Amino acid sequence: MKSPDPATSADDASLAATGANATSHGIAILATTRADGTGSDAASLAAIGGDATSGAASGDAIGGDAASRDTASREAASRDTASGEAAGGDDAGGGAAGSAERAIAERNLCGLVGALAKQIEGHIRERAGALDLTAAQAVALRELTGPMTMRDLAERMSCEPSNATFVVDRLEEQGIVERRPHPGDRRAKQLVLTSEGAALRERLIDLLTEASPLARLTSEEQAALNDLLTRAVR
């Protein structure tokens, strides 16, 4: 018999043909045996059995080839899985590295913002002292850009209304601020600068602007920083 072809479909066709031939030969020999009962016919049957055995062996060989192909396919799939897991590991490693870099960048940025806030606070305290004001009084005076309620001032000062009330009480005692009825709300009061308070505020603004930590930045840089900080705090 010819060696099995690697193609499975061709192998199946060969096996089918071999089976058909064996069947045809068997029918012919059986008919002859019934006719004369010779021993040569039995030998022919034995030969046919040998051919059938060879066909079975060929089938086993074909099955072995199929098993080998299946094994190779499984090994390839295993390698693909391993590659995918390795790639996933690389992605995870890259994600961890990116997170670490962002954490470092955020920490550095927080440090810079904190350092800037500390410099500004020191600058305000120094300039306020030159006018016999506390830093909190200077901040309140700076934020009093016009008549406003105590709650509005507290929001601008980033403090509780009770704290703003304490500061305004001191400013009122010094004749810098007055409490007046709110024109649109009979239950509320407005904080209004006196003439002395308005003049003091102008002097304070001049002192705060002079040699300010933010004065190191150009007008464009200050505007850009203002936009970035506004986005960050919202």
Side-chain angles (χ1 to χ4, degrees):
M1 294 181 64
K2 297 173 65 178
S3 299
D5 191 271
T8 303
S9 59
D11 292 339
D12 293 340
S14 298
L15 285 174
T18 301
N21 292 335
T23 302
S24 299
H25 291 165
I27 292 173
I29 293 172
L30 285 173
T32 305
T33 301
R34 292 190 185 95
D36 56 17
T38 59
S40 60
D41 294 334
S44 298
L45 285 172
I48 293 172
D51 291 341
T53 302
S54 299
S58 298
D60 291 341
I62 293 170
D65 292 340
S68 298
R69 287 192 295 271
D70 290 341
T71 300
S73 297
R74 286 193 296 270
E75 291 177 351
S78 178
R79 287 193 297 270
D80 291 342
T81 300
S83 299
E85 291 176 350
D90 292 341
D91 292 340
S99 297
E101 291 178 356
R102 287 193 296 272
I104 293 174
E106 184 170 338
R107 183 190 66 192
N108 292 338
L109 184 58
C110 288
L112 290 173
V113 172
L116 178 60
K118 188 174 181 179
Q119 289 184 13
I120 292 175
E121 181 182 355
H123 178 70
I124 292 175
R125 182 176 294 106
E126 178 185 354
R127 301 297 169 162
L131 299 176
D132 294 328
L133 297 171
T134 66
Q137 289 172 346
V139 171
L141 196 57
R142 180 191 64 189
E143 298 302 328
L144 278 169
T145 56
M148 65 184 66
T149 65
M150 188 72 70
R151 185 173 297 277
D152 291 338
L153 178 61
E155 184 176 349
R156 288 194 174 196
M157 294 177 65
S158 300
C159 68
E160 294 296 327
S162 58
N163 294 335
T165 298
F166 177 82
V167 174
V168 170
D169 288 344
R170 306 288 80 78
L171 292 175
E172 189 174 24
E173 292 174 358
Q174 299 175 31
I176 298 173
V177 175
E178 291 181 349
R179 286 181 171 92
R180 296 179 183 176
H182 195 289
D185 188 351
R186 297 174 56 184
R187 298 169 300 177
K189 297 286 186 180
Q190 274 190 333
L191 304 175
V192 181
L193 290 173
T194 63
S195 57
E196 293 82 0
L200 181 62
R201 184 178 183 278
E202 289 184 7
R203 293 175 56 194
L204 174 66
I205 296 302
D206 290 340
L207 289 174
L208 291 178
T209 304
E210 182 183 354
S212 167
L214 294 175
R216 307 182 188 115
L217 303 178
T218 64
S219 298
E220 292 77 11
E221 291 171 338
Q222 287 187 20
L225 180 60
N226 180 78
D227 291 341
L228 292 173
L229 292 176
T230 299
R231 289 172 54 190
V233 299
R234 284 182 179 177

